[in-house]
């Protein structure tokens, strides 16, 4: 058995969270707490428990909300291409999400996401050009609208990303830096039309 403990502090939200993960053979056991769990004495607020078999299933239990969430994953072959399927059900919300991704090759894939009973379906095509630039047009059936995203790796592991939402006419720009030595950070802004 192998255990890991991760703790993070979010300065913007003035909050902290810790996660204890234990590998027990093929299964991972995880317990997460937030500062709400220990402020004003020990409580169940912010406590979440999880059991995961990577690539097969995840069961999450939110203790204060008494909410159980199931996620099952599987991969099947369609015309010799892998189709990754995910089924997610949230007990408290009584919401079921179906997600599928068909991978044509390392540069091309198509994905679909549908929430049962909502009449909504989102479709997305992803194309990776020469391993550095990613184009992602997506279509929201319920809104009858397109969104577009383009991201590019720069300076090694840095990523610059631009998004455009046609319904809100908002352009988003984001720069993410991933440094193993000194940590990660993200800078972003959005430009859109605002009411007069």
């Amino acid at each position: 058995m192998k255990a890991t403990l991760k703790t993070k502090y979010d300065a913007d939200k003035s909050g902290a969270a810790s996660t204890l993960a234990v590998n027990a053979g093929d299964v991972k056991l995880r317990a997460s707490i937030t500062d709400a769990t220990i402020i004003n004495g020990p409580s169940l607020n912010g406590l979440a428990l999880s059991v995961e078999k990577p690539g097969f299933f995840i069961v999450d239990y939110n203790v204060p909300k008494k909410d159980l969430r199931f996620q099952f994953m599987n991969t099947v072959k369609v015309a010799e291409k892998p189709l990754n399927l995910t089924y997610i059900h949230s007990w408290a919300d009584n919401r079921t999400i179906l997600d599928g991704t068909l991978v044509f090759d390392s540069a091309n894939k198509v994905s679909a996401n549908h929430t049962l009973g909502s009449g909504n379906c989102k479709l997305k095509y992803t194309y990776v050009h020469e391993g550095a630039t990613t184009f992602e047009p997506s279509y929201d059936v319920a809104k009858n609208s397109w969104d577009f995203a383009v991201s590019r790796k720069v300076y090694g592991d840095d990523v610059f990303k631009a998004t455009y939402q046609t319904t809100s006419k908002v352009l988003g720009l984001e720069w993410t830096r991933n440094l193993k030595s000194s940590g990660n950070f993200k800078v972003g802004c959005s430009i859109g039309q605002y009411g007069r």
Side-chain angles (χ1 to χ4, degrees):
M1 291 179 65
K2 180 181 176 183
T4 57
L5 177 65
K6 293 182 181 178
T7 301
K8 69 175 184 175
Y9 177 76
D10 190 335
D12 291 337
K13 297 178 182 177
S14 296
S18 294
T19 302
L20 174 65
V22 178
N23 289 341
D26 291 341
V27 176
K28 290 184 179 180
L29 307 173
R30 199 166 39 246
S32 302
I33 62 170
T34 65
D35 50 1
T37 313
I38 52 177
I39 290 177
N40 299 325
S43 71
L44 297 179
N45 293 331
L47 176 62
L49 305 172
S50 175
V51 178
E52 175 185 1
K53 184 172 183 182
F56 292 95
F57 69 83
I58 302 171
V59 179
D60 293 316
Y61 182 62
N62 186 315
V63 177
K65 294 181 180 178
K66 297 182 180 176
D67 184 16
L68 204 54
R69 181 179 173 272
F70 302 93
Q71 179 173 326
F72 299 98
M73 298 85 77
N74 199 357
T75 300
V76 296
K77 293 280 187 177
V78 175
E80 299 303 314
K81 305 295 182 186
L83 173 61
N84 303 317
L85 300 169
T86 305
Y87 169 92
I88 303 169
H89 181 75
S90 179
W91 189 280
D93 298 338
N94 193 23
R95 185 175 53 166
T96 302
I97 299 170
L98 303 175
D99 191 79
T101 302
L102 182 61
V103 181
F104 294 102
D105 53 41
S106 60
N108 296 278
K109 65 182 178 182
V110 175
S111 59
N113 178 283
H114 175 64
T115 302
L116 290 182
S118 70
N120 189 15
C121 182
K122 294 180 181 177
L123 306 170
K124 181 168 70 172
Y125 171 67
T126 302
Y127 169 67
V128 180
H129 182 70
E130 296 180 353
T133 306
T134 303
F135 300 92
E136 292 182 308
S138 60
Y139 179 69
D140 189 319
V141 175
K143 295 179 181 176
N144 189 25
S145 67
W146 287 90
D147 292 336
F148 301 93
V150 178
S151 60
R152 179 166 177 85
K153 288 184 180 179
V154 292
Y155 306 119
D157 290 333
D158 290 13
V159 176
F160 182 75
K161 184 175 183 178
T163 59
Y164 182 71
Q165 299 174 344
T166 57
T167 52
S168 60
K169 296 181 180 171
V170 171
L171 173 66
L173 301 173
E174 183 180 284
W175 174 40
T176 306
R177 168 157 273 196
N178 299 310
L179 297 172
K180 292 180 181 178
S181 59
S182 59
N184 308 330
F185 71 85
K186 184 186 295 185
V187 178
C189 69
S190 59
I191 305 163
Q193 294 183 345
Y194 300 95
R196 296 178 181 176

